Amino acid sequence: MDKKPAIYHFLKGFWDENPVLVQILGTCPTLAVTATAVNGIGMGLATTFVLVFSCVVISVLRKLIPNEVRIGVFTVIIATFVTLADLFLKAYFPDLSKALGPFVPLIVVNCIILGRIEAFASKNNVWLSFLDALGNGFGFTLTLIVMGSIRELLGKGTWFGIPVLLSFYKPMLVMILPTGAFFTYGTLMGISNALKKIKS
Amino acid sequence: MSILFSTILMGSIGLIFSIFLVIANKKFHVEVDERITKIEEALPGVNCGGCGFASCSNYAEAIVTKGSKLNMCVVADSETLAKLGEIMGVKVEKGEKKIAVVMCRGDREAAKFPGIYKGIKDCAAAIYSSDVAKRCKYGCVGLGSCVAACPFDAIHISEHGIPIVSIEKCTGCGNCVEACPRNLIELHPVSQKIHVYCKSKDPGAIYKTVCTNACIGCGLCVKAATNDNNPDAIKVSDNLAVVNYDNYKLKKEYIEKCPTGAINFEQNVK
Amino acid sequence: MNISTKMIVALTIVSIIAGFALAFAYEYFKVKIADNAVKALNESIGAVIPGAISKELIPSDQMTIYKVYDKELNDPAKQLLGYAIVTYASGYQGSIKILVSVTPDFSKIITFRVLEHSETPGLGGNIVNPDFINQYEGLSCDKQIIVIKGPSKKENNEISAISGATISSRAVTKALNESFQKAKAIVTANE
């Protein structure tokens, strides 16, 4: 297959292969923590941290890990970085940690991480794996921010806690409930698919 | 010290589970010829089915275990074929490229349509559910089932309502052939440029009422071939001219006398 | 090294390193995390008992009760500001953790704060609103607090349920009602 320039592997995570809207991975945290924009960005950055470090470490070790134990080894490495992220949040951002709740430990089983490792980091060099992980992580974070913003604005009238619409808008409570999460997710996916079709 | 305890605990868990995996690995071991994995990695991985196998993995397995030919992958370029040859230790030659040929010229101008079809955008659905799709019972209804089936984006419905195949993009995988409910698409080598672009078995009267590009079985092409000492090149049966593909020997002069343009040169491709 | 040894070595070494790294990180962060917990508790107690300076946990394995002081006040009789009691309510969606404060003689409620809950936002979630909580301030601990659906009278120890969240309102009230006598007994036993 044709060779792509290194920068493509970074950029593809934003649009062409957006983990949330195109690859449809990591839907559980996407639906659960995007009731507010700040939670979205917190989860996105925590996941990006775990994704980048796990991918880099595994890419470095890829020739040393036997195929038969790769799932176990990958999971231990991923879980270690997730625990580190969880400890960090509990220490320096306790409110965010409480708000994200059990979804921080659940980053261990976030499909984006194992997905990128299996599809890319375990078969490519460190630099490309780093770019791929960073791009996917940032793409994930940006999508969460968009979803969180929409849900928070429509569901609470605030944005990052700042009351933006409350003077004239009565918030639609459903947007911060699970129903609203599915609506927003589906609509965003539909819009992105439509834009891709128009482009091509 | 809790650090020491944690380290030993984690290490022990790792040790115990890895021993489990060693045992499982031995118990459930399946002997796989490593050449199969190498070939699978070398193949394009599109799983288009053009080789005739369900997936690239199946083809890889067949090459190693059943001795299938190495040049069956239609998508593989010469670099890939060379790699396959290297893994198996033989020289590989690429067969002549085949492309999809759409055997119908009944577009919106030539063919008659009894009504407007507004239903599911699928050729099979249109044909089986109603008669409005097209008056011709053999012709292309242009709803794009072949387009949907193509994994290479090589076939598209033209503005006149008939599919056009891109010679460059088409790999001859055959998915569109399977998708067409009227079996109007056939795979032929690129070098064969003259075909009878019609499958209608209706008699000549259809010219006015059904389609002006149809083959009416007049036999003028057969006469031209016979005069050129090539009597078996084309045959007419059931009001339809059929090209002899087993011994393909057609010249441009044979098509000049065709009253409808059914037998033609390089149609429905670009 | 055959494949089996490689497998064991790989997984074991990775596990050892992971175990070490995590234990190390835990030690490094645990001070700050414990600090955060203390800060959060003090902040909550300060919120339910105005003027709180220090606290003392009453030894008990049944309930968490804090004696809250301001030892800088001149009059020793006034130094005990009240008691802060942790109690749990069975809410609509799960457990509700409440910190309620009462006067030193256990006669009246000072106020309360919801520490943790999973109630529906906009409905049961409104139990954190000051409008709801204010209703309880000054109510008597000796009588049962009653939940009614219409406008309520404080002198009758009544509170109005949140419309659309009767279950959450009732759960909070029930938890508070049950906590007072129990806490009083533990405090008295401890004196």
Side-chain angles (χ1 to χ4, degrees):
Chain A
M1 305 268 108
D2 39 303
K3 289 267 175 233
K4 300 209 162 73
I7 194 71
Y8 170 75
H9 292 292
F10 173 70
L11 294 173
K12 73 184 183 210
F14 288 90
W15 183 251
D16 284 348
E17 287 183 31
N18 182 300
V20 177
L21 302 173
V22 178
Q23 297 182 66
I24 316 190
L25 297 174
T27 54
C28 178
T30 306
L31 294 169
V33 308
T34 48
T36 63
V38 70
N39 285 357
I41 199 177
M43 171 57 79
L45 292 177
T47 309
T48 306
F49 164 76
V50 175
L51 183 59
V52 169
F53 276 89
S54 305
C55 281
V56 165
V57 167
I58 288 173
S59 178
V60 165
L61 297 176
R62 72 186 185 278
K63 303 225 164 98
L64 298 173
I65 304 173
N67 202 39
E68 292 82 350
V69 287
R70 71 178 198 285
I71 298 181
V73 171
F74 293 168
T75 311
V76 171
I77 294 175
I78 297 170
T80 306
F81 286 112
V82 171
T83 314
L84 288 174
D86 188 37
L87 286 172
F88 179 77
L89 283 179
K90 283 200 164 92
Y92 293 103
F93 295 93
D95 294 327
L96 184 63
S97 170
K98 235 179 156 199
L100 293 176
F103 290 96
V104 174
L106 281 176
I107 297 177
V108 177
V109 292
N110 187 325
C111 297
I112 299 178
I113 304 187
L114 206 57
R116 294 325 297 165
I117 289 175
E118 280 277 297
F120 202 89
S122 58
K123 304 178 189 160
N124 287 278
N125 65 42
V126 182
W127 174 235
L128 291 183
S129 301
F130 170 73
L131 290 175
D132 174 270
L134 200 64
N136 269 277
F138 281 165
F140 179 62
T141 308
L142 259 143
T143 316
L144 287 193
I145 294 176
V146 169
M147 257 194 81
S149 303
I150 294 175
R151 289 180 68 195
E152 191 184 346
L153 278 168
L154 295 178
K156 280 169 117 173
T158 65
W159 193 49
F160 283 98
I162 308 167
V164 176
L165 300 181
L166 284 178
S167 50
F168 54 88
Y169 169 74
K170 187 160 193 295
M172 275 192 284
L173 198 60
V174 71
M175 292 305 290
I176 54 176
L177 294 177
T179 323
F182 280 101
F183 281 162
T184 315
Y185 191 6
T187 310
L188 277 181
M189 228 194 278
I191 294 175
S192 95
N193 283 349
L195 286 173
K196 281 191 205 286
K197 229 178 175 181
I198 294 174
K199 249 195 188 178
S200 74
Chain B
M1 226 177 50
S2 71
I3 292 187
L4 186 64
F5 177 69
S6 294
T7 312
I8 294 180
L9 180 67
M10 279 286 281
S12 314
I13 294 176
L15 184 67
I16 294 173
F17 276 98
S18 59
I19 294 177
F20 270 147
L21 287 174
V22 166
I23 297 173
N25 192 36
K26 290 225 146 71
K27 249 194 143 201
F28 298 117
H29 185 64
V30 174
E31 193 67 59
V32 175
D33 188 329
E34 62 164 23
R35 289 180 301 176
I36 298 181
T37 324
K38 282 210 192 115
I39 289 187
E40 202 182 325
E41 271 167 24
L43 288 173
V46 187
N47 290 327
C48 68
C51 52
F53 294 91
S55 67
C56 298
S57 331
N58 286 14
Y59 179 42
E61 207 184 308
I63 289 177
V64 175
T65 60
K66 300 195 199 122
S68 295
K69 289 229 279 278
L70 287 167
N71 60 358
M72 288 167 77
C73 177
V74 291
V75 189
D77 55 15
S78 37
E79 195 189 311
T80 313
L81 287 173
K83 222 183 283 171
L84 294 183
E86 203 187 305
I87 299 170
M88 294 301 292
V90 290
K91 201 164 184 287
V92 197
E93 293 265 322
K94 197 168 158 68
E96 190 190 352
K97 170 161 160 152
K98 283 189 178 175
I99 58 163
V101 182
V102 181
M103 303 300 207
C104 178
R105 288 179 66 245
D107 56 23
R108 298 241 141 226
E109 275 132 31
K112 306 282 181 274
F113 293 82
I116 302 172
Y117 173 74
K118 275 193 198 246
I120 304 173
K121 204 160 175 262
D122 177 69
C123 304
I127 294 166
Y128 299 137
S129 66
S130 74
D131 278 340
V132 302
K134 201 178 210 186
R135 198 150 263 160
C136 177
K137 293 289 151 278
Y138 303 87
C140 166
V141 294
L143 287 167
S145 295
C146 48
V147 178
C150 179
F152 302 103
D153 200 35
I155 186 168
H156 296 281
I157 306 291
S158 73
E159 55 192 357
H160 302 294
I162 292 286
I164 306 278
V165 176
S166 157
I167 300 180
E168 201 183 299
K169 285 190 187 168
C170 179
T171 63
C173 74
N175 282 9
C176 56
V177 177
E178 308 246 332
C180 178
R182 284 190 166 160
N183 297 317
L184 286 168
I185 310 185
E186 293 170 3
L187 292 178
H188 293 294
V190 193
S191 59
Q192 291 176 2
K193 299 191 199 252
I194 299 175
H195 304 278
V196 177
Y197 294 92
C198 182
K199 294 274 177 197
S200 170
K201 299 205 171 113
D202 290 335
I206 60 171
Y207 178 76
K208 281 266 158 62
T209 55
V210 178
C211 178
T212 56
N213 283 350
C215 171
I216 54 176
C218 65
L220 285 170
C221 51
V222 184
K223 261 206 201 94
T226 317
N227 287 350
D228 194 44
N229 251 324
N230 204 352
D232 297 322
I234 315 169
K235 276 210 156 51
V236 172
S237 75
D238 283 330
N239 303 304
L240 177 66
V242 179
V243 169
N244 184 349
Y245 288 106
D246 294 327
N247 201 352
Y248 188 90
K249 271 193 286 205
L250 297 182
K251 297 189 196 160
K252 259 181 143 169
E253 22 192 280
Y254 304 170
I255 73 177
E256 279 161 16
K257 286 275 162 57
C258 178
T260 62
I263 182 169
N264 219 310
F265 177 79
E266 251 187 353
Q267 295 293 298
N268 298 339
V269 289
K270 66 160 189 229
Chain C
M1 220 195 271
N2 67 8
I3 191 71
S4 300
T5 325
K6 250 182 152 182
M7 282 167 70
I8 297 179
V9 165
L11 190 50
T12 310
I13 290 189
V14 169
S15 303
I16 291 176
I17 298 179
F20 180 75
L22 285 178
F24 203 76
Y26 182 76
E27 288 298 319
Y28 178 77
F29 283 110
K30 77 174 183 188
V31 174
K32 190 80 174 48
I33 293 177
D35 252 2
N36 287 345
V38 170
K39 265 209 200 97
L41 178 63
N42 288 348
E43 200 257 320
S44 304
I45 291 182
V48 297
I49 297 191
I53 302 289
S54 62
K55 66 185 190 293
E56 195 186 290
L57 177 65
I58 295 183
S60 161
D61 45 15
Q62 290 175 37
M63 280 185 98
T64 309
I65 307 168
Y66 294 95
K67 273 172 113 159
V68 183
Y69 296 98
D70 179 0
K71 297 239 165 88
E72 281 157 37
L73 290 176
N74 294 328
D75 184 356
K78 294 222 174 90
Q79 280 177 358
L80 175 61
L81 299 175
Y83 294 92
I85 306 163
V86 176
T87 183
Y88 296 88
S90 294
Y92 180 67
Q93 296 268 63
S95 184
I96 307 174
K97 190 176 183 187
I98 301 167
L99 185 69
V100 59
S101 53
V102 295
T103 52
D105 55 2
F106 265 93
S107 62
K108 289 225 250 301
I109 300 177
I110 302 179
T111 185
F112 75 86
R113 196 185 221 208
V114 176
L115 297 178
E116 282 168 25
H117 78 90
S118 352
E119 304 302 278
T120 319
L123 294 169
N126 284 342
I127 52 175
V128 303
N129 284 0
D131 293 335
F132 177 68
I133 297 178
N134 287 346
Q135 299 184 92
Y136 292 81
E137 289 170 7
L139 289 188
S140 164
C141 305
D142 298 319
K143 298 193 289 180
Q144 290 286 304
I145 307 169
I146 308 168
V147 180
I148 61 172
K149 285 206 170 166
S152 55
K153 296 203 176 94
K154 267 200 174 175
E155 51 269 28
N156 296 346
N157 237 35
E158 292 169 349
I159 61 111
S160 306
I162 299 173
S163 74
T166 326
I167 294 180
S168 308
S169 313
R170 287 214 170 108
V172 169
T173 309
K174 182 166 183 252
L176 293 181
N177 279 336
E178 287 172 354
S179 67
F180 298 139
Q181 297 312 315
K182 212 171 164 211
K184 192 176 186 180
I186 295 176
V187 167
T188 327
N190 204 51
E191 298 283 299

